[in-house]
Amino acid sequence: NAGVTQTPKFQVLKTGQSMTLQCAQDMNHEYMSWYRQDPGMGLRLIHYSVGAGITDQGEVPNGYNVSRSTTEDFPLRLLSAAPSQTSVYFCASTLFNEQFFGPGTRLTVL
Amino acid sequence: SQQGEEDPQALSIQEGENATMNCSYKTSINNLQWYRQNSGRGLVHLILIRSNEREKHSGRLRVTLDTSKKSSSLLITASRAADTASYFCATESETNDYKLSFGAGTTVTVRA
């Protein structure tokens, strides 16, 4: 099993550009989440999904969209990137309360 | 808003010593979890303790939970250089909805 994979590992955007961060898991987990991690802070929940076709907002959803067309994939879309979205983004899937994290995407918005 | 707060923010110890870090939280929980993050990597689940448990062990890890004080501690015994990492506590609310609230973490450095 590859576990949770994320692409790209690094990305630089200009203000106003849009992009999609990819997340996939091969463990058949229903629950998936997106977090952002900023220096000196813990992870903050952006969006989550309890299964295909179902998504909901977390603590910091503004500026981000998600979709869940399959159990495996949970992409995160930045609509119009802003410097405040410079962060490290982690995707996770959950089984029996334990979260499995991907390696992260380091995003810089200029 | 973040539910958990870890203390201390940073900890430096000698190899072989024990490391203890604490987590306090604000609202009632279903469970509390500890995760480790090595530099530049994703988080790795270490241990979960449920609200009706008081202590749990896993290898060199010992976790305690005091729901009356809304606090938890993580003890790493006989530390190794490989234990150098950031450690985060995360709480899941009573609704058991899998949504975790993370603290800011404790950075542990183990000196050889």
Side-chain angles (χ1 to χ4, degrees):
Chain A
N1 284 353
V4 179
T5 58
Q6 292 183 237
T7 56
K9 290 187 178 179
F10 301 94
Q11 182 70 50
V12 179
L13 292 178
K14 294 181 180 178
T15 297
Q17 287 184 316
S18 64
M19 81 158 293
T20 300
L21 307 184
Q22 300 294 342
C23 174
Q25 53 97 2
D26 60 0
M27 297 174 284
N28 205 33
H29 294 168
E30 293 293 332
Y31 191 97
M32 296 184 74
S33 316
W34 273 104
Y35 295 89
R36 60 177 288 172
Q37 184 178 33
D38 299 298
M41 300 183 72
L43 277 68
R44 291 184 291 168
L45 182 64
I46 304 171
H47 284 285
Y48 65 98
S49 169
V50 299
I54 306 169
T55 63
D56 206 346
Q57 297 180 351
E59 181 186 351
V60 288
N62 292 344
Y64 308 95
N65 272 356
V66 291
S67 59
R68 185 91 182 274
S69 56
T70 66
T71 299
E72 293 77 22
D73 299 300
F74 190 40
L76 176 73
R77 184 167 179 81
L78 280 69
L79 308 172
S80 176
S84 61
Q85 293 179 304
T86 293
S87 188
V88 182
Y89 291 85
F90 290 99
C91 177
S93 69
T94 302
L95 181 66
F96 299 134
N97 303 99
E98 177 181 341
Q99 298 207 356
F100 298 82
F101 284 84
T105 294
R106 186 174 294 274
L107 175 68
T108 302
V109 182
L110 303 175
Chain B
S1 61
Q2 290 180 291
Q3 157 89 302
E5 290 186 7
E6 285 96 340
D7 172 62
Q9 289 186 333
L11 182 60
S12 180
I13 56 174
Q14 202 73 29
E15 204 166 24
E17 294 180 336
N18 295 344
T20 300
M21 60 209 84
N22 304 294
C23 171
S24 60
Y25 57 93
K26 299 172 184 170
T27 61
S28 296
I29 61 172
N30 178 55
N31 65 71
L32 184 145
Q33 304 176 34
W34 286 90
Y35 287 80
R36 183 187 73 230
Q37 183 180 37
N38 292 92
S39 181
R41 304 284 189 90
L43 280 70
V44 174
H45 183 266
L46 294 176
I47 196 165
L48 179 153
I49 186 166
R50 301 195 182 279
S51 60
N52 61 353
E53 297 175 311
R54 291 297 166 257
E55 187 171 315
K56 207 162 182 181
H57 296 255
S58 176
R60 293 184 295 111
L61 305 179
R62 174 179 169 256
V63 170
T64 62
L65 179 64
D66 186 336
T67 52
S68 67
K69 295 181 179 178
K70 290 186 168 59
S71 68
S72 172
S73 67
L74 171 66
L75 168 68
I76 305 172
T77 60
S79 62
R80 306 166 181 169
D83 294 327
T84 294
S86 292
Y87 293 81
F88 295 88
C89 70
T91 55
E92 182 180 318
S93 71
E94 281 184 312
T95 56
N96 192 22
D97 56 5
Y98 287 177
K99 291 163 65 175
L100 294 182
S101 180
F102 284 82
T106 294
T107 300
V108 175
T109 303
V110 181
R111 306 185 307 272

